[in-house]
Amino acid sequence: MSGITLKNLNKTYPNGFLSVKNVSLSIEDGEFVTFHGPSGCGKSTILRMIGGLEEITSGEIYLGDVLLNEVLPRDRRLSMAFQNYALYPGLNVYENIGLGLTLRDFPRNIIDSRVQSAAEFLQIPDILNKKIRSITEAQKQKTALARAIVCHPKVFLVDEDFSKGNARRRAEMLRDVLRINQELKLTTLYITNDYQEAINLKKKIIFMKDGEIIPAEEYEV
Ligand SMILES: Nc1ncnc2c1ncn2[C@@H]1O[C@H](COP(=O)(O)OP(=O)(O)OP(=O)(O)O)[C@@H](O)[C@H]1O
């Protein structure tokens, strides 16, 4: 099973700042959950701890019944969409999508078929041979999403800064992320500090303030 459970999760940065305070929650297998709160409330820190990019100060993170605390990031079966796509400009679209499989020494025929089906899912099979520097921003966004699904993760983590483009591109990204959740059945954790966006998604919202989860009725817009 691919639900995520956080138990008494805490994060204190080396400078002593307590960024995440005793967060506990359960996210079900296949669920789409939106984390919302003002900038600095600890949303990204939680996502980075789940992804293994940030050390956990105390507490436990489970994927299904597997304790992730000591599992290396590359073995966690999670994929992350962060920071304005983070594609390699010198490689083509095919190579960018398939990079995670190439690094894990998958056979060429498996890489071919997985890259092809991820590209078809994101409606970009016709640009696989193009260099990143020659494609549009919208195509880069879809390439990054194809790369996120190609390793067949169980959980998909999407941070705020993944798509900071114009409103149209962000809406397109949200449509693709929702399709990934619904059609590929990936448990999805989505971060936004845009209240209206969180509401419009019509999914479960975790409201945060000052490093803590707070009840929806206590949240002040
Ligand atoms: N390496 C660090 N050292 C000290 N404090 C940090 C560090 N990284 C983040 N913080 C602080 O931890 C708090 C939570 O940061 P985090 O990025 O998780 O917030 P966020 O809710 O995702 O906000 P944003 O939407 O701006 O990214 C912030 O006050 C931030 O300044």
Side-chain angles (χ1 to χ4, degrees), residues 188-201:
T188 303
L189 280 58
Y190 181 78
I191 283 188
T192 182
N193 55 24
D194 180 335
Y195 177 76
Q196 206 49 51
E197 184 179 277
I199 297 295
N200 290 347
L201 276 164

Side-chain angles (χ1 to χ4, degrees), residues 143-190:
T143 302
L145 290 170
R147 185 185 53 187
I149 63 173
V150 80
C151 288
H152 294 182
K154 292 171 183 288
V155 179
F156 186 28
L157 309 173
V158 187
D159 204 351
E160 180 101 56
D161 56 9
F162 172 63
S163 176
K164 278 200 178 293
N166 58 34
R168 190 165 143 204
R169 222 168 45 237
R170 194 157 176 95
E172 199 169 60
M173 178 274 290
L174 272 171
R175 273 198 300 278
D176 283 334
V177 169
L178 286 166
R179 279 179 59 231
I180 288 171
N181 168 250
Q182 283 153 13
E183 295 178 32
L184 305 181
K185 316 241 178 281
L186 294 190
T187 307
T188 303
L189 280 58
Y190 181 78

Side-chain angles (χ1 to χ4, degrees), residues 100-142:
L101 300 172
T102 309
L103 293 174
R104 287 175 171 82
D105 289 327
F106 274 69
R108 174 56 52 195
N109 60 332
I110 304 275
I111 298 178
D112 274 348
S113 73
R114 290 241 201 137
V115 170
Q116 191 63 36
S117 65
E120 277 166 19
F121 189 84
L122 272 311
Q123 298 134 343
I124 50 167
D126 47 328
I127 59 163
L128 285 173
N129 292 323
K130 291 197 174 178
K131 284 271 196 281
I132 296 300
R133 62 174 74 93
S134 71
I135 63 176
T136 65
E137 288 300 305
Q139 290 169 331
K140 286 180 192 168
Q141 183 168 283
K142 283 181 174 286

Side-chain angles (χ1 to χ4, degrees), residues 13-15 17-20 37-46 48 54 159-160 191 193:
Y13 281 107
N15 65 359
F17 183 75
L18 185 54
S19 148
V20 173
S39 182
C41 71
K43 311 178 294 291
S44 299
T45 303
I46 290 179
R48 289 202 303 269
E54 196 73 71
D159 204 351
E160 180 101 56
I191 283 188
N193 55 24

